[in-house]
Amino acid sequence: MGLLDRVERGLEKAVRGVFSTGSRARVEPVEIASKLRRELDNKSITLSAGRTLAPNVFDVLLSNEDFARAQEWGTPLAEELCDVVIQHVRSQGYILQGPVRISFRHDEAQREGHFEITSSTERSNGTAAPAAPRPVVPAAPSREPTRLQPVLDIGGQRYSLNAPSIVLGRSSEADILVDDTGVSRKHLEIQTAEGTIRAVDLGSTNGSYVNGHKVDGSVELTDGSTITMGRTKIIFRLLPQSSGGRP
């Protein structure tokens, strides 16, 4: 079981303890993973039709306090994040020039609870000196996912969608409680049928939005879709799930 899986399975308290010293200042692994995906999308370069080059070397710039906590997780966390990069590269059809490498670095300019990511493209024979923790993970991992697990990321929490119908709302009767005064008691339903996943607005007062467009009835969700309810943003993800395991 990986570090990000342990966050999903209710051990996020331990992770947050490493990445936080107070209720307001925290850096969580799921936040780093999300920002890595955005960095890939923002920095990818189209070379020709069907060939988009993505960066493969990443530095996560942390405050002194967060850097010290990141070192406690060390290589296992960096390896998990390398897997996040690899799976996103594969899902988007990007190409890489070399192995994926991720390192944590302290940056005096960062405040506790804040971080930045810088990226670059490095060929397989690059001469850049590695910095610990800087694991090397093959661009084509040997383990192959057998299915994709739909999940929702809400404020750093991950919820697996394991039922044909999941209701989100402010009511305690909702399957996923969303504590937001702009959200109706039963606001949105996620329906799964025949391999298709749709967001269905349940007649909410303020409406539901997918990728900035108001949901009129229902909208099909794809990997990376952003759902907005009130002031709450929800990311829909399709994560590879190994046979017999979890995403």
Side-chain angles (χ1 to χ4, degrees):
M1 185 188 303
L3 176 60
L4 297 179
D5 296 322
R6 294 202 295 274
V7 175
E8 175 189 356
R9 293 180 63 86
L11 295 182
E12 69 275 4
K13 182 178 179 181
V15 177
R16 290 178 179 175
V18 172
F19 283 94
S20 64
T21 55
S23 59
R24 292 185 302 172
R26 66 178 61 174
V27 172
E28 297 183 14
V30 291
E31 294 176 314
I32 300 176
S34 178
K35 204 161 190 174
L36 280 168
R37 296 187 190 100
R38 291 199 299 272
E39 182 73 10
L40 283 164
D41 294 337
N42 292 337
K43 297 298 178 64
S44 293
I45 301 173
T46 300
L47 302 178
S48 61
R51 298 184 70 243
T52 301
L53 178 66
N56 61 304
V57 177
F58 303 86
D59 287 335
V60 182
L61 307 179
L62 299 162
S63 68
N64 290 336
E65 296 83 359
D66 288 327
F67 175 71
R69 297 179 193 114
Q71 284 187 309
E72 295 181 24
W73 287 108
T75 299
L77 173 57
E79 288 177 342
E80 289 288 337
L81 294 173
C82 281
D83 285 343
V84 168
V85 170
I86 290 168
Q87 297 299 344
H88 190 70
V89 165
R90 296 178 66 193
S91 71
Q92 300 301 312
Y94 298 152
I95 60 173
L96 299 173
Q97 283 196 334
V100 175
R101 294 203 291 267
I102 293 177
S103 52
F104 304 113
R105 298 183 182 278
H106 69 272
D107 180 6
E108 298 289 347
Q110 299 300 321
R111 291 179 296 154
E112 187 174 7
H114 296 76
F115 69 98
E116 297 292 338
I117 292 178
T118 61
S119 63
S120 61
T121 300
E122 183 179 296
R123 295 180 181 275
S124 300
N125 60 353
T127 58
R134 184 183 280 253
V136 176
V137 181
S142 58
R143 59 181 185 276
E144 293 293 333
T146 58
R147 63 185 297 266
L148 295 176
Q149 173 64 51
V151 302
L152 297 177
D153 281 338
I154 308 177
Q157 298 282 348
R158 180 182 295 171
Y159 300 87
S160 294
L161 302 178
N162 295 319
S165 171
I166 299 291
V167 174
L168 291 78
R170 194 159 45 88
S171 169
S172 59
E173 298 178 357
D175 299 306
I176 299 178
L177 178 63
V178 180
D179 187 12
D180 183 334
T181 56
V183 171
S184 298
R185 293 175 59 80
K186 290 187 177 180
H187 194 110
L188 185 77
E189 180 182 11
I190 306 296
Q191 295 180 351
T192 302
E194 299 179 350
T196 300
I197 302 173
R198 305 188 70 85
V200 182
D201 185 80
L202 299 177
S204 62
T205 301
N206 296 322
S208 305
Y209 297 82
V210 173
N211 297 329
H213 300 286
K214 189 172 183 178
V215 176
D216 183 11
S218 68
V219 173
E220 183 175 350
L221 299 176
T222 58
D223 184 38
S225 291
T226 300
I227 303 168
T228 304
M229 301 164 46
R231 296 182 301 277
T232 302
K233 290 189 181 298
I234 302 167
I235 307 299
F236 173 77
R237 302 294 306 174
L238 292 172
L239 301 182
Q241 181 178 38
S242 300
S243 58
R246 297 181 62 84

